[in-house]
Amino acid sequence: MTQARPTAAPGTPGPAANGTRRPAPRAGAPTEQQDTVLQTPVAPDAPRPTRVDPEPATGAQSLVRSLEAVGCDVVFGIPGGAILPAYDPLFDSRLVRHILVRHEQGAGHAATGYAQATGRVGVCIATSGPGATNLVTPLADAMLDSVPLVAITGQVGRKLIGTDAFQEADICGITMPITKHNMLVTDPADIPRAIAEAFHIAATGRPGPVLVDLPKDVLQAQTTFSWPVETRLPGYRPTTRPHSKQIREAARLIGEARRPVLYVGGGVIKAEASTELLDLADETGAPVVTTLMARGAFPDGHRQNLGMPGMHGTVAAVAAMQKADLLIALGARFDDRVTGDLSTFAPGAKVIHADIDPAEIGKNRPADVPIVGDAREVVTELTAALRSSAVDRDTRHEQLRGWWEQLESWRQTFPLGYDDPADGTLSPEYVIERIGAIAGPDAIYAAGVGQHQMWAAQFIAYEKPRTWLNSGGAGTMGYGVPAAMGAKVGCPDTTVWCIDGDGCFQMTNQELATCAIEGIPIKVAVINNGNLGMVRQWQTLFYDERYSNTELGTHKHRVPDFVLLAQALGCEGLRCESKDDVDRVINQAMAITDRPVVIDFTVGADAQVWPMVAAGTGNDQIMAARDIRPLFDDPEAVQAEEVSRADRPVDGEGRAAQRSRTIDEEPVR
């Protein structure tokens, strides 16, 4: 059933297409001039069907009923010819909200942000051909970051498949390498089972994206719908319970270790194991490092947290892993951005590797004790085994006293930090640090990819899981805005900030129109340095400052003007160019809750992300800052004459002359 409503009076808010309230139009904005037929208002708390006896339905109706029954409450999508039959019954659903995005890539990343923030399966929908192929990047992104996602795509009619018909693309073939599973449904009677299986596969085991491709004539055909359905997944039985023998062996190694490190990956968050991790850390007394995908899995404020390891990790975290005699890897995959050159990574460490995906264990680094299982069950059983072992907690902690003295030396000598730009421009690190301090640990932070992503990982304190969203594996520019949108839909009462770069922002900012119309008041901080910042940093360090095609013109020409662009997209647009205004502008954005806000933070172009391990080098080659290299094993390489950072000689172009420091020296001040 559809509903019609009279035209809203000019200047007054009207209901959005999902039945929620739409912000009042800005002065001068056009208002609706004719009656509009709206989707049935969504009532997400309405009871969902648990049992439905067989009843007549079209394939499209069966699809929508299946989404309702499986617990889906929102889909992000765009209609088109092949998927159009599904949109008609979706119009009447009181349980599934549809959010009309402006690009299918935005739909995919929004579904990912929703899933990462809530832990539930995110859903996106697109039509055949180019609509479906626009989901390729979000699917690849979700695959690498183990995000539970279901993508529903329309397909040309069954008789047209393989004929190069209009808007035909073999999306199952295209996405086979970048989905956990995909399926082409050729019988309308199979739709409920396909949807049930898709959600089950996406959410269980190692989470990941599943694609369901539906030909148009299958959606139009008559069938019957009933619920629940019997799934048919022979061979798909993820191992969740770890083997007790492996747990005992892991506990034995931990008891013998004198330099252990808990290497925590994103799988801990996926398994909802953060509370259990706290218990394990307390029992072992070992330092904890949290990867880029695991920020928030263990509180940053906890004494045992050394921070993030890897290419832009803390010196203490990188050094701890390099010097460890035991790595306890939990839901982590030893990727290249953490290990650097694998041949030189943690050379003296034995490895306990626990992961729900057996294919990850031993893939990059051989494991002395492999454990296949769900991270929460592994951590719980490992903690219990330690508590019942011959070595008690206090003895274990005492055994690590010398290790902690060394760790504290590294942590105090090389803390994270930054310098204000010498030219007086605004520091991007300061901006991000202040956003984190003002919004606080209860907010959700989504980032694009590049320098701003690394600064957001470094200078915002994450105390809770699912408060940090980013594209870790694929490194997808343009992820931030739609992911923040999805997170805000999933967590409407939580403040959601997108920390974006001026390059990333220009890839998907059209979704701000979606946010404005659908009543999704996210806040976007554009760290506008006028360049593709991370690429420029590499050009500075490795390409003799030859800045080939990295200047964006957002400084020199102010094209686009982000404030005017925000206003054109129905958002509040603000600008900040000085340190003195940062807190005021952030608080101004925090006070606006009825529409999206975009802040153009105009920052210096030359800020760089430190520490850094250059690609292809070993972690022993970490640079704590430019021209400051901690030398873990070669104290004799330190220059005879040590000078402070302020006194370092400079070359003719003002660059500091290269120098090295050992980790035992006093910190540069």
Side-chain angles (χ1 to χ4, degrees):
M1 180 178 293
T2 60
Q3 295 181 340
R5 66 162 178 83
T7 306
T12 61
N18 52 43
T20 61
R21 301 299 289 180
R22 175 186 299 153
R26 293 176 291 104
T31 56
E32 297 170 82
Q33 300 299 317
Q34 59 184 11
D35 289 358
T36 304
V37 179
L38 296 177
Q39 177 186 347
T40 301
V42 173
D45 295 330
R48 292 181 179 269
T50 57
R51 182 172 185 84
V52 179
D53 293 331
E55 60 185 34
T58 64
Q61 290 170 331
S62 184
L63 169 64
V64 174
R65 297 287 300 276
S66 299
L67 290 172
E68 293 174 343
V70 85
C72 174
D73 59 359
V74 62
V75 297
F76 303 88
I78 302 179
I83 196 65
L84 196 57
Y87 271 78
D88 191 64
L90 184 59
F91 197 66
D92 297 328
S93 178
R94 297 186 66 245
L95 297 174
V96 180
R97 175 186 180 184
H98 180 272
I99 293 179
L100 178 62
V101 298
R102 297 304 182 263
H103 192 285
E104 290 89 356
Q105 183 181 354
H109 292 320
T112 294
Y114 171 94
Q116 287 184 311
T118 65
R120 301 192 294 270
V121 176
V123 184
C124 55
I125 188 167
T127 195
S128 64
T133 58
N134 279 341
L135 291 177
V136 166
T137 295
L139 289 170
D141 180 272
M143 185 69 173
L144 280 166
D145 287 345
S146 304
V147 179
L149 190 72
V150 169
I152 298 168
T153 54
Q155 183 56 274
V156 298
R158 287 169 289 185
K159 292 182 179 180
L160 295 176
I161 292 176
T163 68
D164 291 335
F166 176 68
Q167 291 192 335
E168 181 190 1
D170 178 11
I171 196 61
C172 285
I174 290 168
T175 62
M176 186 174 293
I178 57 170
T179 52
K180 185 177 177 182
H181 186 59
N182 64 34
M183 58 192 95
L184 172 66
V185 180
T186 58
D187 185 342
D190 290 337
I191 289 176
R193 179 171 59 83
I195 296 300
E197 290 176 353
F199 273 73
H200 177 70
I201 294 170
T204 56
R206 179 179 181 174
V210 178
L211 182 138
V212 181
D213 199 26
L214 297 165
K216 185 173 185 178
D217 60 333
V218 170
L219 291 170
Q220 293 171 322
Q222 287 296 318
T223 184
T224 58
F225 171 78
S226 63
W227 196 269
V229 295
E230 179 182 356
T231 58
R232 304 171 192 168
L233 297 170
Y236 180 71
R237 295 180 181 85
T239 299
T240 58
R241 185 77 181 270
H243 196 288
S244 59
K245 179 182 176 182
Q246 301 302 93
I247 292 292
R248 289 194 301 271
E249 181 63 15
R252 184 186 67 80
L253 286 185
I254 292 171
E256 295 174 352
R258 297 299 180 267
R259 299 188 306 279
V261 174
L262 285 164
Y263 165 27
V264 176
V268 169
I269 294 178
K270 301 292 190 299
E272 307 288 354
S274 294
T275 300
E276 291 77 8
L277 177 62
L278 279 166
D279 291 339
L280 178 62
D282 178 69
E283 190 65 31
T284 62
V288 179
V289 300
T290 53
T291 67
L292 182 65
M293 294 306 298
R295 304 291 288 119
F298 192 77
D300 277 353
H302 197 288
R303 173 185 171 274
Q304 289 171 242
N305 194 336
L306 297 183
M308 183 174 69
M311 176 175 280
H312 293 295
T314 67
V315 172
V318 172
M321 297 184 81
Q322 287 299 100
K323 298 305 177 185
D325 63 1
L326 178 65
L327 294 179
I328 307 153
L330 304 169
R333 56 188 181 90
F334 291 87
D335 69 284
D336 62 297
R337 290 299 170 104
V338 167
T339 67
D341 179 7
L342 264 173
S343 66
T344 63
F345 173 68
K350 292 183 178 180
V351 173
I352 299 167
H353 192 177
D355 202 288
I356 199 164
D357 183 359
E360 285 296 343
I361 297 177
K363 183 179 77 175
N364 295 328
R365 172 69 178 254
D368 296 276
V369 180
I371 305 175
V372 179
D374 176 80
R376 183 162 61 178
E377 296 204 29
V378 170
V379 171
T380 299
E381 295 201 15
L382 187 54
T383 303
L386 288 168
R387 287 173 177 165
S388 62
S389 68
V391 182
D392 63 27
R393 173 184 176 277
D394 291 342
T395 301
R396 272 192 296 272
H397 285 219
E398 182 61 29
Q399 290 172 344
L400 303 186
R401 181 187 294 273
W403 181 223
W404 270 108
E405 289 175 356
Q406 178 66 81
L407 295 170
E408 290 295 352
S409 173
W410 291 332
R411 181 151 61 181
Q412 293 174 22
T413 303
F414 295 101
L416 284 174
Y418 57 89
D419 294 322
D420 288 329
D423 60 3
T425 54
L426 184 58
S427 161
E429 301 99 322
Y430 178 77
V431 168
I432 292 170
E433 187 176 55
R434 293 308 300 157
I435 291 173
I438 292 171
D442 292 327
I444 293 173
Y445 303 89
V449 168
Q451 288 181 314
H452 62 279
Q453 174 194 23
M454 295 297 104
W455 289 321
Q458 292 175 332
F459 294 109
I460 295 175
Y462 299 98
E463 306 296 335
K464 301 177 181 180
R466 301 196 182 280
T467 55
W468 164 244
L469 317 180
N470 81 125
S471 172
T476 305
M477 292 181 68
Y479 167 91
V481 169
M485 175 174 71
K488 184 65 175 176
V489 170
C491 305
D493 298 325
T494 301
T495 299
V496 177
W497 276 89
C498 170
I499 312 293
D500 222 352
D502 46 339
C504 287
F505 183 67
Q506 292 185 74
M507 293 190 174
T508 52
N509 63 55
Q510 69 272 7
E511 298 309 332
L512 288 172
T514 307
C515 292
I517 290 173
E518 293 281 348
I520 307 170
I522 65 171
K523 306 179 194 305
V524 182
V526 180
I527 308 301
N528 178 8
N529 63 6
N531 291 270
L532 298 172
M534 187 63 84
V535 182
R536 178 185 170 90
Q537 176 169 335
W538 283 45
Q539 288 173 331
T540 300
L541 298 175
F542 308 123
Y543 292 90
D544 298 323
E545 300 183 6
R546 290 166 55 82
Y547 300 120
S548 173
N549 292 282
T550 46
E551 183 179 327
L552 293 169
T554 52
H555 274 196
K556 182 184 294 184
H557 306 292
R558 195 162 278 178
V559 177
D561 185 314
F562 291 129
V563 172
L564 296 179
L565 178 61
Q567 293 171 353
L569 292 169
C571 308
E572 184 71 27
L574 307 172
R575 178 172 288 118
C576 180
E577 298 177 298
S578 72
K579 184 175 182 178
D580 292 341
D581 289 334
V582 168
D583 281 18
R584 177 186 60 79
V585 175
I586 294 171
N587 282 310
Q588 184 179 352
M590 290 289 289
I592 298 171
T593 59
D594 63 343
R595 59 196 181 279
V597 183
V598 176
I599 309 174
D600 177 2
F601 285 104
T602 307
V603 302
D606 294 320
Q608 296 183 344
V609 182
W610 299 102
M612 180 177 179
V613 179
T617 65
N619 283 352
D620 284 330
Q621 303 301 309
I622 187 172
M623 300 288 290
R626 191 171 185 184
D627 308 321
I628 301 178
R629 185 191 302 281
L631 296 173
F632 299 119
D633 295 312
D634 189 12
E636 294 181 359
V638 183
Q639 294 178 4
E641 183 180 353
E642 292 294 348
V643 292
S644 70
R645 181 180 301 179
D647 294 333
R648 268 182 283 160
V650 296
D651 62 19
E653 294 183 337
R655 292 187 297 266
Q658 185 169 352
R659 61 190 296 272
S660 300
R661 300 177 64 244
T662 69
I663 57 175
D664 297 321
E665 292 182 81
E666 289 300 313
V668 173
R669 302 190 187 281

Coordinates of all heavy atoms in Angstrom, one line a residue, residues 135-187:
L135 N 30.1 -1.7 -7.3 CA 30.2 -2.3 -6.0 C 31.5 -3.1 -5.8 O 31.9 -3.6 -4.8 CB 29.1 -3.3 -5.7 CG 27.7 -2.7 -5.5 CD1 26.7 -3.8 -5.3 CD2 27.7 -1.7 -4.3
V136 N 32.3 -3.2 -6.9 CA 33.5 -4.0 -6.9 C 34.5 -3.5 -5.8 O 35.0 -4.3 -5.0 CB 34.2 -4.1 -8.2 CG1 35.6 -4.6 -8.1 CG2 33.4 -5.0 -9.2
T137 N 34.8 -2.2 -5.8 CA 35.7 -1.7 -4.8 C 35.2 -1.9 -3.3 O 36.0 -2.4 -2.5 CB 36.0 -0.2 -5.0 OG1 36.7 -0.1 -6.3 CG2 36.9 0.4 -4.0
P138 N 34.0 -1.6 -3.0 CA 33.5 -1.9 -1.6 C 33.6 -3.4 -1.3 O 33.9 -3.7 -0.1 CB 32.1 -1.4 -1.6 CG 32.0 -0.4 -2.7 CD 32.9 -0.8 -3.8
L139 N 33.3 -4.3 -2.2 CA 33.4 -5.7 -2.0 C 34.8 -6.1 -1.7 O 35.1 -6.9 -0.8 CB 32.8 -6.5 -3.1 CG 31.3 -6.4 -3.3 CD1 30.9 -7.0 -4.6 CD2 30.6 -7.1 -2.1
A140 N 35.8 -5.6 -2.5 CA 37.2 -5.9 -2.3 C 37.6 -5.4 -0.9 O 38.4 -6.1 -0.2 CB 38.0 -5.4 -3.4
D141 N 37.2 -4.2 -0.6 CA 37.5 -3.6 0.7 C 37.0 -4.4 1.8 O 37.7 -4.7 2.8 CB 36.9 -2.2 0.7 CG 37.2 -1.5 2.0 OD1 36.4 -1.6 3.0 OD2 38.2 -0.7 2.0
A142 N 35.7 -4.9 1.7 CA 35.1 -5.7 2.8 C 35.8 -7.0 2.9 O 35.9 -7.6 4.0 CB 33.6 -5.8 2.6
M143 N 36.2 -7.6 1.8 CA 36.9 -8.9 1.8 C 38.2 -8.8 2.6 O 38.5 -9.6 3.4 CB 37.1 -9.3 0.4 CG 37.7 -10.7 0.3 SD 36.5 -12.0 0.8 CE 37.4 -13.5 0.3
L144 N 39.0 -7.8 2.3 CA 40.3 -7.7 2.9 C 40.2 -7.3 4.4 O 41.0 -7.7 5.2 CB 41.1 -6.6 2.2 CG 41.8 -7.0 0.9 CD1 42.3 -5.9 0.1 CD2 42.9 -8.0 1.2
D145 N 39.1 -6.6 4.8 CA 39.0 -6.2 6.2 C 38.0 -7.1 6.9 O 37.6 -6.8 8.1 CB 38.5 -4.8 6.3 CG 39.7 -3.8 6.0 OD1 40.8 -4.3 6.0 OD2 39.4 -2.6 5.7
S146 N 37.5 -8.2 6.3 CA 36.7 -9.2 7.0 C 35.4 -8.5 7.5 O 35.1 -8.7 8.7 CB 37.4 -9.9 8.1 OG 38.6 -10.5 7.6
V147 N 34.7 -7.9 6.7 CA 33.4 -7.2 7.1 C 32.2 -8.0 6.6 O 32.1 -8.3 5.4 CB 33.4 -5.7 6.4 CG1 32.1 -5.0 6.8 CG2 34.6 -4.9 6.9
P148 N 31.3 -8.2 7.5 CA 30.0 -9.0 7.1 C 29.1 -8.1 6.2 O 28.6 -7.1 6.7 CB 29.4 -9.3 8.4 CG 29.8 -8.3 9.3 CD 31.2 -7.9 8.9
L149 N 29.0 -8.4 4.9 CA 28.3 -7.6 4.0 C 27.5 -8.5 3.0 O 28.0 -9.5 2.6 CB 29.3 -6.8 3.2 CG 28.9 -5.7 2.3 CD1 28.4 -4.5 3.1 CD2 30.0 -5.2 1.3
V150 N 26.3 -8.1 2.7 CA 25.5 -8.8 1.7 C 25.2 -7.8 0.6 O 24.6 -6.7 0.9 CB 24.2 -9.4 2.3 CG1 23.3 -9.9 1.1 CG2 24.6 -10.6 3.2
A151 N 25.6 -8.1 -0.6 CA 25.3 -7.2 -1.8 C 24.3 -7.9 -2.6 O 24.5 -9.1 -3.0 CB 26.6 -7.0 -2.6
I152 N 23.2 -7.3 -2.9 CA 22.1 -7.8 -3.8 C 22.2 -7.0 -5.1 O 22.1 -5.8 -5.1 CB 20.8 -7.6 -3.1 CG1 20.7 -8.4 -1.8 CG2 19.6 -8.1 -4.0 CD1 19.6 -8.1 -0.9
T153 N 22.3 -7.8 -6.2 CA 22.4 -7.1 -7.5 C 21.3 -7.7 -8.4 O 21.0 -8.9 -8.4 CB 23.8 -7.3 -8.1 OG1 24.1 -8.7 -8.2 CG2 24.8 -6.6 -7.3
G154 N 20.8 -6.8 -9.2 CA 19.9 -7.2 -10.3 C 20.7 -7.8 -11.4 O 21.9 -7.5 -11.6
Q155 N 20.1 -8.6 -12.2 CA 20.8 -9.2 -13.4 C 19.7 -9.2 -14.6 O 18.5 -9.2 -14.3 CB 21.3 -10.6 -13.1 CG 22.0 -11.3 -14.2 CD 23.2 -10.5 -14.7 OE1 23.1 -9.6 -15.5 NE2 24.4 -10.8 -14.1
V156 N 20.2 -9.2 -15.8 CA 19.3 -9.3 -16.9 C 18.6 -10.7 -16.8 O 19.0 -11.6 -16.1 CB 20.1 -9.2 -18.3 CG1 20.8 -7.9 -18.3 CG2 21.1 -10.4 -18.4
G157 N 17.5 -10.8 -17.6 CA 16.6 -12.0 -17.5 C 17.4 -13.2 -17.9 O 18.4 -13.1 -18.6
R158 N 17.0 -14.3 -17.4 CA 17.7 -15.6 -17.6 C 18.0 -15.9 -19.1 O 19.1 -16.4 -19.5 CB 16.9 -16.7 -17.0 CG 17.0 -16.8 -15.5 CD 16.0 -17.7 -14.9 NE 14.6 -17.3 -15.0 CZ 13.5 -17.9 -14.5 NH1 13.7 -19.0 -13.8 NH2 12.3 -17.4 -14.7
K159 N 17.0 -15.6 -20.0 CA 17.2 -15.9 -21.4 C 18.3 -15.0 -22.0 O 18.8 -15.3 -23.1 CB 15.9 -15.8 -22.2 CG 14.9 -16.8 -21.8 CD 13.6 -16.7 -22.7 CE 12.6 -17.8 -22.3 NZ 11.4 -17.6 -23.1
L160 N 18.6 -13.9 -21.4 CA 19.5 -12.9 -22.0 C 20.9 -13.1 -21.4 O 21.9 -12.5 -22.0 CB 19.1 -11.5 -21.7 CG 17.8 -11.0 -22.3 CD1 17.4 -9.6 -21.9 CD2 17.9 -11.1 -23.9
I161 N 21.1 -13.9 -20.4 CA 22.4 -14.1 -19.8 C 23.3 -14.7 -20.8 O 23.0 -15.7 -21.4 CB 22.3 -14.9 -18.5 CG1 21.6 -14.1 -17.4 CG2 23.7 -15.3 -18.0 CD1 21.3 -14.9 -16.1
G162 N 24.5 -14.1 -21.0 CA 25.5 -14.6 -22.0 C 25.3 -14.1 -23.4 O 26.1 -14.5 -24.2
T163 N 24.4 -13.2 -23.6 CA 24.2 -12.6 -24.9 C 24.7 -11.2 -25.1 O 24.5 -10.6 -26.1 CB 22.7 -12.6 -25.2 OG1 22.0 -11.6 -24.4 CG2 22.0 -14.0 -25.0
D164 N 25.4 -10.7 -24.1 CA 25.9 -9.3 -24.1 C 24.7 -8.4 -24.2 O 24.8 -7.4 -24.9 CB 26.9 -9.1 -25.2 CG 28.2 -9.8 -25.1 OD1 28.5 -10.1 -23.9 OD2 28.9 -10.0 -26.1
A165 N 23.7 -8.7 -23.4 CA 22.5 -7.8 -23.4 C 22.8 -6.5 -22.7 O 23.8 -6.3 -22.1 CB 21.4 -8.5 -22.6
F166 N 21.9 -5.5 -22.9 CA 22.1 -4.2 -22.3 C 22.2 -4.3 -20.8 O 21.5 -5.0 -20.1 CB 20.8 -3.3 -22.7 CG 20.9 -2.0 -22.0 CD1 21.8 -1.0 -22.4 CD2 20.0 -1.6 -21.0 CE1 21.8 0.2 -21.9 CE2 20.0 -0.4 -20.4 CZ 20.9 0.6 -20.9
Q167 N 23.2 -3.7 -20.3 CA 23.6 -3.7 -18.9 C 23.8 -5.1 -18.3 O 23.4 -5.3 -17.2 CB 22.5 -2.9 -18.1 CG 22.6 -1.4 -18.3 CD 21.8 -0.5 -17.4 OE1 20.8 -1.0 -16.7 NE2 22.2 0.7 -17.2
E168 N 24.3 -5.9 -19.1 CA 24.7 -7.3 -18.6 C 26.2 -7.3 -18.2 O 27.0 -6.8 -18.9 CB 24.5 -8.3 -19.7 CG 24.8 -9.7 -19.1 CD 24.9 -10.8 -20.2 OE1 24.6 -10.5 -21.4 OE2 25.1 -12.0 -19.9
A169 N 26.5 -7.8 -17.0 CA 27.8 -8.1 -16.6 C 27.8 -9.3 -15.7 O 26.9 -9.5 -14.9 CB 28.4 -6.9 -15.8
D170 N 28.8 -10.2 -15.9 CA 28.9 -11.4 -15.1 C 29.5 -11.0 -13.8 O 30.6 -11.2 -13.5 CB 29.8 -12.4 -15.8 CG 30.0 -13.7 -15.0 OD1 29.3 -13.9 -14.0 OD2 30.9 -14.4 -15.4
I171 N 28.6 -10.5 -12.9 CA 29.1 -9.9 -11.6 C 29.5 -11.1 -10.7 O 30.4 -10.8 -9.9 CB 28.0 -9.1 -11.0 CG1 28.6 -8.2 -9.9 CG2 26.9 -9.9 -10.4 CD1 29.7 -7.2 -10.3
C172 N 29.0 -12.2 -10.8 CA 29.5 -13.4 -10.0 C 30.9 -13.7 -10.4 O 31.8 -14.0 -9.6 CB 28.6 -14.6 -10.1 SG 27.0 -14.4 -9.2
G173 N 31.2 -13.8 -11.7 CA 32.5 -14.1 -12.2 C 33.5 -13.0 -11.8 O 34.6 -13.2 -11.4
I174 N 33.0 -11.7 -12.0 CA 33.9 -10.6 -11.7 C 34.3 -10.6 -10.2 O 35.5 -10.3 -9.8 CB 33.2 -9.3 -12.0 CG1 33.1 -9.1 -13.6 CG2 33.9 -8.0 -11.5 CD1 32.1 -8.0 -14.0
T175 N 33.3 -10.9 -9.3 CA 33.6 -10.7 -7.9 C 34.0 -12.0 -7.2 O 34.2 -12.0 -6.0 CB 32.3 -10.2 -7.2 OG1 31.3 -11.1 -7.3 CG2 32.0 -8.8 -7.7
M176 N 34.2 -13.1 -7.9 CA 34.6 -14.4 -7.3 C 35.8 -14.2 -6.4 O 35.9 -14.7 -5.3 CB 34.8 -15.4 -8.4 CG 35.0 -16.8 -7.8 SD 35.1 -18.1 -9.0 CE 33.4 -18.1 -9.6
P177 N 36.9 -13.5 -6.9 CA 38.1 -13.4 -6.0 C 37.9 -12.5 -4.8 O 38.8 -12.5 -3.9 CB 39.2 -12.9 -7.0 CG 38.6 -13.0 -8.3 CD 37.1 -12.9 -8.2
I178 N 36.9 -11.7 -4.8 CA 36.8 -10.6 -3.8 C 35.5 -10.8 -2.9 O 35.1 -9.8 -2.3 CB 36.8 -9.2 -4.4 CG1 35.8 -9.0 -5.5 CG2 38.2 -8.9 -5.0 CD1 35.6 -7.6 -5.9
T179 N 34.9 -11.9 -3.0 CA 33.8 -12.2 -2.1 C 34.0 -13.5 -1.4 O 34.7 -14.4 -1.9 CB 32.4 -12.3 -2.9 OG1 32.6 -13.3 -3.9 CG2 32.0 -11.0 -3.4
K180 N 33.5 -13.6 -0.2 CA 33.6 -14.9 0.5 C 32.7 -16.0 -0.2 O 33.1 -17.1 -0.2 CB 33.1 -14.7 2.0 CG 33.2 -15.9 2.9 CD 32.8 -15.5 4.3 CE 32.9 -16.8 5.2 NZ 32.4 -16.5 6.6
H181 N 31.6 -15.5 -0.8 CA 30.8 -16.4 -1.5 C 29.9 -15.6 -2.4 O 29.6 -14.4 -2.1 CB 29.9 -17.3 -0.6 CG 29.1 -18.3 -1.3 ND1 29.6 -19.3 -2.0 CD2 27.7 -18.5 -1.3 CE1 28.7 -20.1 -2.5 NE2 27.5 -19.7 -2.1
N182 N 29.5 -16.1 -3.6 CA 28.5 -15.4 -4.3 C 27.6 -16.4 -5.1 O 28.0 -17.6 -5.2 CB 29.0 -14.4 -5.3 CG 29.9 -15.0 -6.4 OD1 29.7 -16.0 -6.8 ND2 31.0 -14.2 -6.7
M183 N 26.4 -16.0 -5.5 CA 25.5 -17.0 -6.1 C 24.6 -16.3 -7.1 O 24.2 -15.1 -6.8 CB 24.7 -17.7 -5.0 CG 23.9 -16.8 -4.1 SD 23.2 -17.6 -2.7 CE 24.4 -17.2 -1.4
L184 N 24.3 -16.9 -8.2 CA 23.3 -16.5 -9.1 C 22.0 -17.3 -8.9 O 22.1 -18.5 -9.0 CB 23.8 -16.7 -10.6 CG 22.8 -16.4 -11.7 CD1 22.4 -14.9 -11.7 CD2 23.4 -16.9 -13.0
V185 N 20.9 -16.7 -8.5 CA 19.7 -17.4 -8.2 C 18.9 -17.5 -9.5 O 18.5 -16.5 -10.1 CB 18.9 -16.6 -7.1 CG1 17.6 -17.4 -6.8 CG2 19.7 -16.5 -5.9
T186 N 18.6 -18.7 -10.0 CA 17.9 -18.9 -11.2 C 16.4 -19.4 -11.0 O 15.7 -19.5 -11.9 CB 18.6 -19.9 -12.1 OG1 18.8 -21.1 -11.5 CG2 20.0 -19.3 -12.5
D187 N 16.1 -19.7 -9.7 CA 14.8 -20.3 -9.4 C 14.2 -19.4 -8.3 O 14.8 -19.2 -7.2 CB 14.8 -21.7 -8.9 CG 13.5 -22.3 -8.7 OD1 12.5 -21.6 -8.6 OD2 13.4 -23.6 -8.6

